[in-house]
Amino acid sequence: MYAVVLHSFGPAENLRYETVPDPVPGPGEVRIAVRAAGVHLVETMMRSGLESDSLPPLPGLPSVFGGEVAGTVDAVGSGVDPSWVGRDVVTSGGRPGGYAELAVADVASLHPMPGGLSHETAVAMVVTGTTALRFLAVARLTTDDVVLITSAAGGIGRLLVQDARNVGATVIGAAGGPDKVAAVAGLGADLAVDYDQPGWDRTVAEWLDGRPLTAVLDGVGGDKAKAAFGLLGRGGRYLTIGNASQQDFWPDPETLADREVAAVNALLHLLGNPQDAPEFEARALAAAAGGRLVPAVQAFPLSQAAAAHAALESRRTTGKVVLVP
């Protein structure tokens, strides 16, 4: 089969499209003929060789990335019901190897694909959709909220905007560049702003016209996160949900206490509560199947995985990046 193999840590072009042996499912596992594989920003960091307490350990080399997979079961290992063969499934629990034509996953991690979903949509929702719903469970938005979502044109951000609108909150979406801002506006945000433009936070403040901003869901970090936090009203909630800029920001305790703001690192919250992920995976897939949440997907051929990584790193993508064999 063909797979994308990393032989040495470094730039995106180190990802090589080449022939490797077909994987064999072990006990309790299935093999999936991959129709779509998700690409995650964390994988670009690991590919580069970045080591951090907030990242998984670097893999041994050579390595094939990819744990988010949708496709058709074509073989099963010992102890697995053979009726799985031929079924369309999606999983976030594939062992690394999803950047390939065939991948192996634990049968316990599988979700049968709901009818009407494409493989690309399913693989976008099983992690990105699940993460968005888990963030929203922490945020607990209501119709009384006025929420600012940064990185609102990203895979998670788009879903946050949609669901915040679904619960009746007033939604401000911030993204970089006119195309992304237009996309956020198209999702129904009450205000969409370009945070690459100087003074974007003043634009938001003027639009609020004295209304308090009650919640910030920040997915970008750095100076943009600091500006977003500055807009938050007394007694609001500040949630860190990502760090697309790879620049840290966290409000100091004195400021939080003075403004009575509750701050939560939602990423750490999710990592500390992995047991609820399967339930939220099922919810996310059902939300997409029912049309309540519609993910944006940007697909690349499997052979162009290097280009997909480069585009994701430079923030030139819109929505969830997916590889299609």
Side-chain angles (χ1 to χ4, degrees):
M1 70 169 184
Y2 281 102
V4 177
V5 184
L6 182 71
H7 292 279
S8 60
F9 298 114
E13 55 263 31
N14 284 15
L15 294 169
R16 303 293 179 85
Y17 182 65
E18 58 191 51
T19 303
V20 301
D22 292 355
V24 177
E29 296 179 332
V30 303
R31 188 174 69 188
I32 301 170
V34 179
R35 300 291 181 263
V39 178
H40 199 284
L41 185 63
V42 167
E43 293 169 340
T44 70
M45 299 176 188
M46 295 171 65
R47 184 219 70 236
S48 71
L50 181 64
E51 295 185 272
S52 167
D53 292 341
S54 62
L55 296 174
L58 294 179
L61 299 178
S63 180
V64 178
F65 287 124
E68 308 166 21
V69 171
T72 306
V73 176
D74 79 341
V76 299
S78 63
V80 178
D81 188 337
S83 67
W84 279 103
V85 174
R87 298 179 69 180
D88 279 345
V89 297
V90 60
T91 178
S92 66
R95 70 189 191 201
Y99 290 15
E101 294 179 317
L102 298 169
V104 169
D106 190 322
V107 69
S109 73
L110 302 181
H111 292 276
M113 273 182 47
L117 281 191
S118 68
H119 293 97
E120 293 88 347
T121 297
V123 85
M125 291 302 293
V126 75
V127 171
T128 300
T130 297
T131 302
L133 291 185
R134 293 177 77 193
F135 284 153
L136 289 161
V138 177
R140 297 183 179 181
L141 299 177
T142 72
T143 56
D144 295 327
D145 277 306
V146 181
V147 57
L148 169 62
I149 299 168
T150 66
S151 199
I156 291 174
R158 283 172 170 257
L159 298 176
L160 295 176
V161 170
Q162 291 175 55
D163 210 57
R165 289 291 295 151
N166 288 341
V167 302
T170 299
V171 182
I172 303 165
D179 291 344
K180 291 185 176 182
V181 171
V184 173
L187 295 170
D190 297 281
L191 175 67
V193 295
D194 186 346
Y195 57 21
D196 285 343
Q197 296 297 316
W200 70 271
D201 49 337
R202 290 195 300 274
T203 300
V204 173
E206 291 168 2
W207 184 84
L208 287 169
D209 193 26
R211 285 184 298 170
L213 188 67
T214 63
V216 169
L217 278 65
D218 175 60
V220 66
D223 290 341
K224 294 180 175 69
K226 183 177 181 180
F229 176 78
L231 293 164
L232 194 58
R234 179 174 294 276
R237 289 108 71 206
Y238 177 81
L239 278 72
T240 294
I241 61 171
N243 188 9
S245 70
Q246 298 184 41
Q247 298 175 0
D248 293 332
F249 168 76
W250 188 254
D252 64 79
E254 294 80 9
T255 301
L256 291 174
D258 182 61
R259 292 169 55 184
E260 300 176 359
V261 169
V264 178
N265 188 322
L267 287 171
L268 292 180
H269 177 85
L270 264 60
L271 291 173
N273 295 275
Q275 68 280 355
D276 64 3
E279 174 190 350
F280 278 95
E281 288 174 353
R283 288 189 196 177
L285 293 167
R292 186 168 68 87
L293 295 178
V294 181
V297 176
Q298 186 166 347
F300 290 77
L302 178 64
S303 60
Q304 296 182 21
H309 267 230
L312 185 57
E313 285 177 299
S314 61
R315 301 175 69 184
R316 290 183 284 109
T317 60
T318 300
K320 177 66 177 179
V321 177
V322 173
L323 300 177
V324 180

